[in-house]
Amino acid sequence: MTALVTGAAGGIGKAITAKLRSEGFEVKELDLVSGFDVSDPEAWEHVGSVDLACLNAGIVTGSDDIATLTDEQYRRALGVNLDGVVFGVRRLDRVMPKGSTIVVTASLAGLTAIADDPIYGLTKHAVVGFVRSVAPQLAERGIRIQAVCPGWANTALTTTEFRQNLESRGFRLLSPEAVADGVWAAYKSDGTGEAWIVQPGREPLLYEFKGVPGPR
């Protein structure tokens, strides 16, 4: 069995890679530090077929103030968090075999508000919506796609100051290994277009979308 992991050099990426290897996968690691930019559509054209693709690369803007948000912060977040998923799914849909799976690392910020980084929240809401919306057409070609929505994890994305701020507000940080377990749960599920929540002290949990009221 073969797999790829984007953002593989980060804390969560390393944990996902280790988890998959422990389960017998041969894993290809893709990361900016090794020359792979997920936001570059040309880079994706050189990616081949795998049985499992974990689209995990993601960044925060570091800005909680929309008035001082820079164009560069905004565009880079969109490039990594959104383009990296869309370009990846587009390429993988073309090359993955029937029975394969894509798991996208989204966030709880894709299911609820995140005042600490509104643009990060924007991108993760978009990722969850994309996964749910593209799932039916992928299913027609025998490919499943899932989203994993962890809370804040103890990685390099959470600076010491931000970590202390979260802890002072009662937030518990996840370990990267707990997020990797969530990725594995999403992969092992028979469903598609699902969102799996990962929270400290809980087993990975399937999120139940309540839907919207219909017309009268």
Side-chain angles (χ1 to χ4, degrees):
M1 298 286 282
T2 59
L4 68 79
V5 178
T6 66
I12 292 175
K14 288 179 180 178
I16 294 172
T17 298
K19 175 68 176 178
L20 297 184
R21 285 182 173 149
S22 74
E23 297 290 346
F25 280 83
E26 179 183 338
V27 183
K28 183 175 184 178
E29 301 177 46
L30 302 178
D31 197 279
L32 187 61
V33 300
S34 57
F36 189 87
D37 185 350
V38 296
S39 69
D40 178 6
E42 179 61 28
W44 280 106
E45 292 306 308
H46 301 283
V47 171
S49 176
V50 290
D51 300 297
L52 170 60
C54 296
L55 304 185
N56 168 72
I59 61 171
V60 296
T61 67
S63 175
D64 62 358
D65 185 356
I66 196 66
T68 59
L69 177 76
T70 68
D71 292 350
E72 182 180 4
Q73 287 173 316
Y74 175 58
R75 294 297 178 190
R76 185 58 181 158
L78 292 182
V80 175
N81 297 354
L82 287 183
D83 293 349
V85 172
V86 174
F87 294 156
V89 170
R90 181 178 65 180
R91 173 60 178 175
L92 293 164
D93 183 26
R94 295 169 179 168
V95 300
M96 291 178 86
K98 288 185 177 181
S100 56
T101 305
I102 302 168
V103 179
V104 181
T105 304
S107 172
L108 280 185
L111 300 174
T112 187
I114 175 170
D116 299 293
D117 193 334
I119 300 305
Y120 182 77
L122 177 153
T123 62
K124 294 305 183 178
H125 272 78
V127 165
V128 172
F130 175 68
V131 167
R132 298 180 70 202
S133 299
V134 80
Q137 62 180 275
L138 294 180
E140 291 178 359
R141 296 186 280 277
I143 300 173
R144 296 188 308 117
I145 186 168
Q146 302 278 61
V148 174
C149 299
W152 288 113
N154 190 9
T155 70
L157 286 183
T158 51
T159 64
T160 299
E161 181 180 0
F162 186 44
R163 187 180 302 115
Q164 291 173 344
N165 178 269
L166 290 172
E167 291 172 346
S168 70
R169 290 152 52 193
F171 286 92
R172 291 170 55 193
L173 295 178
L174 287 162
S175 69
E177 292 73 21
V179 181
D181 288 341
V183 168
W184 187 251
Y187 166 66
K188 295 296 288 183
S189 168
D190 292 330
T192 190
E194 298 173 335
W196 285 78
I197 293 174
V198 186
Q199 285 276 57
R202 290 182 177 270
E203 293 296 316
L205 177 68
L206 178 63
Y207 185 73
E208 296 183 8
F209 291 93
K210 299 300 184 181
V212 296
R216 286 185 172 179

